[in-house]
Amino acid sequence: MGISSENRIWLRRLFGEGVWFDEPMHRHTSFHIGGPADALVMPHDSTSLRELVEGCGTKGIPYFILGKGTNLLVKDKGIRGIVILLKKCLNKITVSEIPGGACRVSAMAGVNLQRLCRFAIKKGLAGLNFAMGIPGSVGGAIAMNAGTADGAMGDVLESLDVLFPSGKNERLLRDRLFFSYRHFSIQSEVKAVEKAKPVILEGHFLLTSSDSELLKEDAEKKMKQRKATQPMDQHSPGCVFKNPEPGLSAGKLIDEAGLKGFRIGDAEISTRHGNYIINRGSAKAADVLELMQKIEDKVYEQHRVKLEPEIIFAGE
Ligand SMILES: Cc1cc2nc3c(=O)[nH]c(=O)nc-3n(C[C@H](O)[C@H](O)[C@H](O)COP(=O)(O)OP(=O)(O)OC[C@H]3O[C@@H](n4cnc5c(N)ncnc54)[C@H](O)[C@@H]3O)c2cc1C
């Protein structure tokens, strides 16, 4: 499809140098994989973000919100339409006390999740330590309901500010938000009116007072555990498949199927953790997809368990 010359002029007028055409997405994903996006735009404030989203709605241009690209497989032909990168415009954390010893911490979507975790620890606020070591942005973590066995984003979220493609901003309280395992959605009545996924702007979290030193100790323990079991220093999107049920680990099933170390092109099943596929250098999305199919088939053959992807596929 590409971006028409009229729309290119519109984007340049709105964002000046903050727009890149035919931008390779491998530069923006932790997997270091992905073909070009027709355009990648980095809004500098929430006003220009709203104008962009509204303009895409009226002009019929598809858009994709990119957090830090740590849970994505962008396909080899890339993404049609506009990729919107929020890291510049939504990056503030604020805190307010509420009666009864709790605190409300508000973090904008572009904030680094690890920055938010460290902020909470420093302030002696408990509730977010489960997220220690999960890379990515606050917006991406909410969209994925990121978490571990110790908790997930939906457990501590009180409300959410969102922007709809119509340009309407809304604060959605917890009873209109639905969280399940690595999944988030909003009340269907709200969705039906707006007919599209909203942009997450800011999350408001309810945290409880605690001891900063104890939180720090716990966080260090969690980081140590992560480093010992996951290939955090290699190019990957984290766990590729969801655990099929509580207590049944996809990584263990893949390991038992004898697949650790198996490789297609430069895409390899990590020898450290069976549920990680790592890019050894120049892996293509097609290699990863073939490898994922191989894993699904082998695990089904051996365990009669159907694995479902945890990562998000983008593009074509
Ligand atoms: C080494 C490693 C370890 C990991 N460990 C964990 C773990 O323990 N637990 C876990 O749950 N995940 C884990 N992950 C996966 C990943 O880090 C999380 O899913 C993370 O929350 C994704 O955030 P992101 O900003 O990178 O989102 P992206 O990958 O950029 O986007 C993910 C999805 O969220 C959407 N999105 C992003 N921002 C917004 C927004 N503002 N509004 C609307 N939609 C938005 C995107 O459109 C996309 O659909 C790991 C990944 C790596 C590389």
Side-chain angles (χ1 to χ4, degrees), residues 70-90:
T70 64
N71 205 41
L72 292 184
L73 176 64
V74 177
K75 296 192 185 161
D76 296 323
K77 287 187 181 155
I79 299 181
R80 304 292 69 83
I82 298 176
V83 172
I84 304 176
L85 189 52
L86 296 179
K87 70 176 179 195
K88 253 199 179 154
C89 66
L90 297 174

Side-chain angles (χ1 to χ4, degrees), residues 30 64-72 86 109 133-137 139-141 143-144 146-148 182 197-200 226 230 232 236-238 276 310 312:
S30 58
F64 180 84
I65 304 293
L66 180 68
K68 293 200 183 290
T70 64
N71 205 41
L72 292 184
L86 296 179
I134 303 181
S137 65
M144 294 307 303
T148 61
R182 304 296 165 264
K197 267 181 141 182
V199 181
I200 295 167
R226 242 177 213 280
Q230 298 172 11
M232 292 181 68
S236 88
Y276 274 67
E310 176 172 326
I312 301 289

Side-chain angles (χ1 to χ4, degrees), residues 90-197:
L90 297 174
N91 57 11
K92 283 203 185 90
I93 303 178
T94 48
V95 59
S96 55
E97 281 194 26
I98 46 178
C103 256
R104 179 178 299 111
V105 173
S106 301
M108 291 185 168
V111 167
N112 185 310
L113 183 61
Q114 291 314 292
R115 182 179 146 214
L116 175 63
C117 291
R118 287 193 302 270
F119 177 91
I121 291 172
K122 211 165 159 195
K123 294 269 175 201
L125 295 171
L128 281 167
N129 258 21
F130 72 85
M132 274 313 298
I134 303 181
S137 65
V138 167
I142 295 171
M144 294 307 303
N145 192 21
T148 61
D150 297 330
M153 298 306 282
D155 301 344
V156 276
L157 197 75
E158 182 195 37
S159 61
L160 195 60
D161 294 347
V162 295
L163 167 67
F164 288 102
S166 60
K168 187 173 132 201
N169 264 19
E170 197 167 334
R171 176 159 302 178
L172 300 172
L173 299 182
R174 190 63 182 78
D175 59 352
R176 298 168 87 189
L177 309 170
F178 301 101
F179 291 94
S180 55
Y181 177 52
R182 304 296 165 264
H183 182 75
F184 153 74
S185 67
I186 54 175
Q187 197 186 33
S188 52
E189 287 90 315
V190 183
K191 246 195 302 195
V193 173
E194 291 288 344
K195 289 196 183 70
K197 267 181 141 182

